[in-house]
Amino acid sequence: MSNKIPSLLEQHLGLPEEASLTILTNTLGASSNWLVLRFLYSILQSGRGADAGVSEKEASPGVVFLSFMRDLAFWREGASRLGLDLDSLSRAGKFSFVDGLTGLLSGGQGSESTADRGRVLKSGKLDDMRRGIEAAITDVRSGPKVLIVDQLDELLAIFGEEDVTGLALEGMLLSLRERVHATVLTFSVDDPLLRSQGTSLERSHAALVLAQAHAADVILSLRMLDTGVAKDVSGVVRVTERDRAEASAEYLYHVGADGNAKVFERGT
Amino acid sequence: MSFRKRNTVIGIAGTTPEPHRAKVSVPGTRPSPHDGRLTTSTGTSSLDQLLAGHAGLPMGTSLLVEESGTTDFGGILLRYFAAEGLVQGHCVHVLGFGDHWRRELPGLASESRSKDSNSSKSSDSKMKIAWRYEALSSRATPSRDSAEGIAPFCHTFDLSARLEDSVAQGQFYTTRGSGMDPTQSPFRRFISDITARLKSSPPTSIHRIVIPSILSPTIYPPSACRPQEILQFLHHIRALLRQFPSRVVVMMTLPVSLYPRSTGLVRRAELLCDGVVEMIPLQQQPHHPVDRNSSSENKAQGLFRIHSLPVFHEKGGGLEGSWVKEDMSFKLSASSGLIITPYSLPPLLDDEGPSNGPSNESKPKLDF
């Protein structure tokens, strides 16, 4: 288990504390997908370990996973490389996938539960979406539930001002957070999206991301190497904790051809 | 009876290899040497080689080509992409242009001529280029010969010829950008057209979606440039790609002089596309016409930058050494198409020695 989770990040990737908010940020070229998969793995696997050990009597944790940019097939493939079978986990009521990509703009109503694509959101209306996600939360029957939302900012960007306001989105997020044990969000934090804030697209994105970042307990941010591209380094991961400033650190990471991720300190 | 029984067992076991075999038999596709996923050619073999070890554009992915300035190298890239699709019998869907775009597609280069030019060029360069640059020039045209071998995965096109209907086996569909009906967005119409054709076509057919200079004001109405309009369209395209992962590929160009990369809109569009490359044309001296072939042949016409690659960046990394962000350059010639090579300044002595030498010698002679 320990070789699949990079040891330097192990303490941040386990089951988060109750009511905590963890944020993973990515940029173009430094995607957070591998880190999300590691998160999924360590949460779902920690439960399995606890089942084997006699000391922990608590029910194993489950995950509700909402993705706006990627479909279940992509995550399934990545998870299977880590030895995680998402299909059997979802049958066991430990995992529930909500697809916010393939059906979101089809103009339908509510959400639809499919076998191979998870629960597909059919409409971009916040109320419909909330109902779909809440149904997915009740699908997970095991103990503490972790809600992972991949690229919530995408939702804000494609619907913009009229349909989905940043405030309403934050409201929905809060009400969803009340119903789960902990929340993990991923955001794109590319410079052009945050710095100039000249258009309403950029302003609403910055408002959402900055508000969530300030509320977060832990932020793991990924970016490209500042000095260019190296063969054995994919990027930089920076860990920021709100309560423990001394725990903040910056490491390099490398994702290999086989999907193995290595995290190491600079200069080693 | 026993034969039948055995057959059912084999049938269950055989369900996995059978779609695999069917996939391979679709013309114009081949499994990636890296991870076996289905890929198809972009029509430009040097671009195929750049795509993170897959030696082709993986099916179910999109490639965004950004271009600054007023040149249209990206448009040429798309024409090769479309022509390759038509020759392979794929369905090609074009947004924004009418049927005249079809008539601008490059024709197939005749085999003998392309081979002749190849061999003569290689012997030429052997004579001219110093030995340490020889390796570079062989890297410049990677596996061109192997691509032209038994199964043509990527054809060679001739820009000076036009694609004839006899070789174009695929269907060609267009959707005009600013149509007769201004109330309906061209994007929605395009999406509904494609979805209908995808559903009505056989499950082995391959569809190439070509979107030349998206958001260019000459083609699209002002309403299309609203961020939500274009981002929803790209989200929709991404959804289509994921719903039909083995049947659709997308290539589009975006004029970044009009929509700079420093804006949030373009960055969001880049995040929605699987691969992003940028072409930066270099300033050409207009007073040096084409006749100085010898020196202009080695000159790069522009820089080629890779910002992200399909599959590779989605996973966060991948094959070692398959993606090195060195400076790339491209040059276009009518017969051999667009060639992307590592950027290197031409050896000064070789280039300018012979051309400057005589003029320098002759000038003082005239003066005296």
Side-chain angles (χ1 to χ4, degrees), chain B residues 60-238:
Chain B
T61 61
S62 55
L63 188 65
L64 173 68
V65 182
E66 298 173 333
E67 184 170 355
S68 51
T70 51
T71 51
D72 194 24
F73 290 109
I76 304 264
L77 215 54
L78 290 195
R79 286 188 178 94
Y80 283 127
F81 177 70
E84 177 70 34
L86 285 181
V87 171
Q88 302 277 17
H90 301 168
C91 297
V92 177
H93 308 264
V94 180
L95 172 63
F97 285 86
D99 287 324
H100 64 89
W101 206 79
R102 161 74 184 79
R103 291 191 288 276
E104 292 165 13
L105 295 183
L108 275 181
S110 56
E111 282 279 311
S112 57
R113 197 169 13 137
S114 70
K115 254 176 202 159
D116 270 356
S117 67
N118 258 2
S119 60
S120 68
K121 202 192 287 168
S122 67
S123 64
D124 264 4
S125 57
K126 231 175 220 170
M127 307 261 281
K128 265 184 228 154
I129 301 177
W131 61 272
R132 59 185 183 133
Y133 296 107
E134 213 175 313
L136 263 181
S137 76
S138 69
R139 252 173 94 194
T141 52
S143 75
R144 179 154 285 257
D145 292 14
S146 71
E148 277 175 352
I150 317 134
F153 178 68
C154 177
H155 292 83
T156 314
F157 294 96
D158 187 357
L159 264 187
S160 55
R162 292 288 157 256
L163 189 66
E164 289 155 28
D165 286 328
S166 53
V167 284
Q169 297 161 344
Q171 275 116 355
F172 189 81
Y173 303 101
T174 54
T175 304
R176 295 296 294 264
S178 50
M180 325 71 228
D181 185 8
T183 54
Q184 200 192 8
S185 139
F187 295 141
R188 294 217 186 106
R189 192 151 25 101
F190 188 60
I191 289 285
S192 62
D193 284 0
I194 286 185
T195 319
R197 281 184 202 127
L198 267 170
K199 280 182 177 146
S200 62
S201 61
T204 53
S205 63
I206 307 280
H207 295 255
R208 291 180 180 228
I209 300 176
V210 184
I211 309 171
S213 42
I214 193 166
L215 290 186
S216 163
T218 52
I219 313 168
Y220 293 95
S223 63
C225 301
R226 279 176 55 239
Q228 277 73 50
E229 198 73 33
I230 170 72
L231 290 178
Q232 286 193 7
F233 172 66
L234 291 174
H235 189 94
H236 227 140
I237 289 275
R238 196 179 168 93

Side-chain angles (χ1 to χ4, degrees), chain A residues 27-29 31 33-34 68-71 74 77 81 100-102 104-105 117 151 153-154 157-162 188 190 192-193 201-202 205 224 229 231 234 253-257, chain B residues 34-35 37 226-229 231-233 235-236 238-239 242-243 261-268 270-273 276 307-308 311 313-321 323-325:
Chain A
T27 59
L28 182 73
S31 82
N33 299 335
W34 65 274
F68 285 105
M69 293 273 274
R70 283 147 204 112
D71 61 339
F74 170 79
E77 188 199 331
R81 285 189 173 221
L101 172 67
T102 55
L104 195 63
L105 296 169
R117 288 191 284 147
Q151 309 282 179
D153 49 333
E154 171 69 12
I158 60 173
F159 287 113
E161 303 284 82
E162 311 120 46
S188 293
D190 298 73
L193 295 174
L201 178 79
E202 293 156 1
H205 174 87
M224 303 281 277
V229 171
K231 268 184 184 166
S234 301
Y253 72 92
H254 176 246
V255 182
Chain B
H34 176 36
D35 59 0
R37 72 180 66 227
R226 279 176 55 239
Q228 277 73 50
E229 198 73 33
L231 290 178
Q232 286 193 7
F233 172 66
H235 189 94
H236 227 140
R238 196 179 168 93
R242 297 301 181 267
Q243 276 172 297
R261 290 195 69 228
S262 58
T263 58
L265 174 66
V266 172
R267 183 50 60 99
R268 280 243 82 95
E270 290 176 355
L271 289 170
L272 275 166
C273 294
V276 180
H307 296 298
S308 69
V311 182
H313 278 105
E314 191 83 336
K315 286 188 173 157
L319 198 64
E320 279 88 351
W323 184 62
V324 184
K325 203 178 180 179

Side-chain angles (χ1 to χ4, degrees), chain A residues 193-208:
Chain A
L193 295 174
L194 289 174
R195 180 167 286 179
S196 67
Q197 298 186 24
T199 63
S200 63
L201 178 79
E202 293 156 1
R203 271 196 298 274
S204 57
H205 174 87
L208 174 72

Side-chain angles (χ1 to χ4, degrees), chain A residues 173-235:
Chain A
L173 199 60
L174 268 182
S175 78
L176 288 174
R177 280 182 64 190
E178 278 175 2
R179 309 187 45 150
V180 293
H181 171 82
T183 312
V184 180
L185 305 173
T186 72
F187 289 115
S188 293
V189 290
D190 298 73
D191 229 25
L193 295 174
L194 289 174
R195 180 167 286 179
S196 67
Q197 298 186 24
T199 63
S200 63
L201 178 79
E202 293 156 1
R203 271 196 298 274
S204 57
H205 174 87
L208 174 72
V209 173
L210 294 180
Q212 295 303 319
H214 279 286
D217 298 281
V218 182
I219 300 178
L220 299 171
S221 65
L222 303 180
R223 63 170 199 272
M224 303 281 277
L225 209 55
D226 305 320
T227 47
V229 171
K231 268 184 184 166
D232 48 359
V233 180
S234 301

